[in-house]
Amino acid sequence: MESLQAYLRERINLSKADFDLLVDVSVSLNVPAKTRFLEEEKSTDVLYFLSEGIVRGFKNKDGKLVVEHLVGPNQFITSMESFFQGLPSVDTFETLSNCLLVRISRADLERLKAANPAWNQLIESIISESLQCKMERIHDFQTLTAKERYVKFVETNPDLALRVSIENIASFLGVEPPSLSRIRRQLSF
């Protein structure tokens, strides 16, 4: 919970009463590795904050897993379409390592927003960051080579680059694992 509170202090102005309410409405979960906690084609009304660990979000396309999200600590996770619009999730989210997640339901988020409108600012920030990430990812696929995408990934996510399997990184970058292995051999960081 401390990492979530630190995250929030950097982004919005909350009182002690706001933090007390957050503690009342949120649930901390220790989730083992390889646990699916949001499923493709199911709706969710839960927003998660990843305090510790690594999570991947993926789609199953004709039996092949396509990784679209690699998430490290101190980030919010949910199916945006499902949480905010009530649509079925387009991704499955699974822990790659043991994780500490903080769970907040949509109803409890509404309670937080009713107590302090600053929560609206946080939600806008989460949506904006998610949209920015998706737009940047599309731009990278359109303009960067596989090698350039890998270099950017390592520079922006050094911890994930060391802790996530080559298969997951390759899928996230849109290349086959043998191609990523060749790229890695060509580079020296």
Side-chain angles (χ1 to χ4, degrees):
M1 183 63 76
E2 294 84 23
S3 59
L4 174 56
Q5 291 179 356
Y7 176 94
L8 294 171
R9 281 187 190 98
E10 292 177 8
R11 287 164 179 78
I12 57 176
N13 188 20
L14 297 174
S15 68
K16 182 178 179 334
D18 293 322
F19 282 112
D20 290 344
L21 181 57
L22 173 64
V23 169
D24 287 344
V25 301
S26 62
V27 178
S28 292
L29 305 168
N30 285 306
V31 183
K34 300 184 181 181
T35 301
R36 293 180 180 183
F37 60 95
L38 287 175
E39 294 281 343
E40 184 175 1
E41 298 184 7
K42 293 186 179 175
S43 294
T44 187
D45 66 348
V46 178
L47 180 65
Y48 294 93
F49 181 80
L50 180 60
S51 292
E52 297 174 13
I54 300 172
V55 169
R56 73 174 175 172
F58 63 90
K59 287 182 171 57
N60 185 337
K61 291 196 177 191
D62 302 322
K64 182 178 180 180
L65 298 185
V66 178
V67 177
E68 295 194 346
H69 309 273
L70 287 173
V71 183
N74 298 318
Q75 295 185 56
F76 280 96
I77 304 167
T78 195
S79 167
M80 293 292 184
E81 300 85 358
S82 186
F83 185 80
F84 291 108
Q85 299 173 347
L87 301 172
S89 177
V90 296
D91 295 309
T92 295
F93 287 87
E94 175 182 55
T95 58
L96 291 179
S97 65
N98 293 336
C99 292
L100 176 59
L101 295 167
V102 178
R103 183 179 69 198
I104 304 170
S105 72
R106 184 184 307 115
D108 288 328
L109 182 60
E110 292 301 321
R111 283 181 58 198
L112 293 168
K113 288 165 47 177
N116 185 340
W119 285 96
N120 288 316
Q121 177 186 345
L122 176 69
I123 297 305
E124 287 177 20
S125 174
I126 292 169
I127 294 170
S128 177
E129 287 173 16
S130 176
L131 181 58
Q132 175 72 24
C133 182
K134 286 182 182 192
M135 290 170 47
E136 185 174 341
R137 190 162 157 75
I138 291 167
H139 181 264
D140 288 352
F141 271 95
Q142 292 174 333
T143 62
L144 301 179
T145 65
K147 185 176 185 178
E148 291 168 332
R149 288 194 306 272
Y150 178 69
V151 168
K152 182 176 179 180
F153 175 79
V154 170
E155 289 173 349
T156 58
N157 303 286
D159 187 52
L160 292 179
L162 294 173
R163 296 180 55 204
V164 175
S165 72
I166 193 168
E167 292 79 15
N168 281 311
I169 294 172
S171 179
F172 180 73
L173 297 174
V175 298
E176 293 298 320
S179 298
L180 182 55
S181 291
R182 279 192 299 279
I183 290 169
R184 288 172 64 163
R185 282 193 302 271
Q186 294 170 0
L187 298 170
S188 61
F189 288 99

